[in-house]
Amino acid sequence: MSFDLLLNNGTISISSSGELEIVTGQNKLSQDIIKIIATASGTNLAHKWYGSSIPEKIVGSGLRLDLLKTEIVKNIQSCLQNLKSLQEQQVRAGQVLVPEEAIATVEGIQIIGSSDPRDLIIVITIKTRANNILQEELTLRI
């Protein structure tokens, strides 16, 4: 099983006993999905390919809504493929991933409007290797 530090609203979570908290399983996969989409591509110096162009190129771009949605979906598809490739590399390197934290397939990416016209709601549906369905919902302010 792999793990990562638990993030709570972007802040490393520390237990009441002062220990760093970790995240595993399907919760880790959720956090991994959010991290790769929210990280601007090229900002991880060790892995320039990691991240998405959503934070830097899509938000505030002024694209028509249909083009904006298309760009967001393509970008998220690329992020999820990169994440899946990263998971496969980790397994080849000997790291154990439990089925709940590994992407089997991307079942869908849906973008819907919000009550606030500045926001888009992105719903990402993933099937894990444990055959569980994970649905992650993100709000993007455009």
Side-chain angles (χ1 to χ4, degrees):
M1 171 171 47
S2 69
F3 69 91
D4 199 353
L5 295 176
L6 176 63
L7 299 177
N8 188 358
N9 293 322
T11 302
I12 294 174
S13 186
I14 300 174
S15 70
S16 58
S17 64
E19 300 288 324
L20 292 173
E21 293 187 314
I22 61 170
V23 62
T24 60
Q26 196 161 308
N27 291 333
K28 180 184 180 303
L29 179 56
S30 289
Q31 183 171 293
D32 287 345
I33 291 168
I34 293 167
K35 282 192 326 186
I36 199 166
I37 293 169
T39 300
S41 56
T43 59
N44 182 326
L45 298 178
H47 305 286
K48 291 284 191 184
W49 54 266
Y50 184 87
S52 78
S53 63
I54 291 173
E56 58 189 8
K57 293 182 181 170
I58 294 176
V59 173
S61 67
L63 289 174
R64 286 190 340 243
L65 188 57
D66 59 330
L67 295 175
L68 186 67
K69 288 180 176 181
T70 300
E71 285 302 310
I72 291 169
V73 168
K74 286 193 312 188
N75 208 280
I76 291 173
Q77 287 171 332
S78 176
C79 286
L80 296 174
Q81 183 56 50
N82 285 343
L83 182 57
K84 188 174 178 182
S85 294
L86 179 60
Q87 291 173 340
E88 291 165 356
Q89 290 172 21
Q90 289 170 318
V91 169
R92 283 194 301 273
Q95 183 174 341
V96 177
L97 295 179
V98 296
E100 292 83 4
E101 64 192 15
I103 297 172
T105 58
V106 177
E107 298 292 304
I109 301 168
Q110 183 181 19
I111 301 176
I112 54 180
S114 168
S115 59
D116 185 332
R118 299 172 295 172
D119 293 342
L120 292 175
I121 298 170
I122 303 167
V123 181
I124 302 165
T125 307
I126 301 287
K127 182 183 280 187
T128 69
R129 289 193 185 149
N131 280 330
N132 298 329
I133 297 295
L134 168 66
Q135 198 166 64
E136 194 59 53
E137 186 176 299
L138 309 166
T139 301
L140 178 66
R141 175 134 308 164
I142 55 171

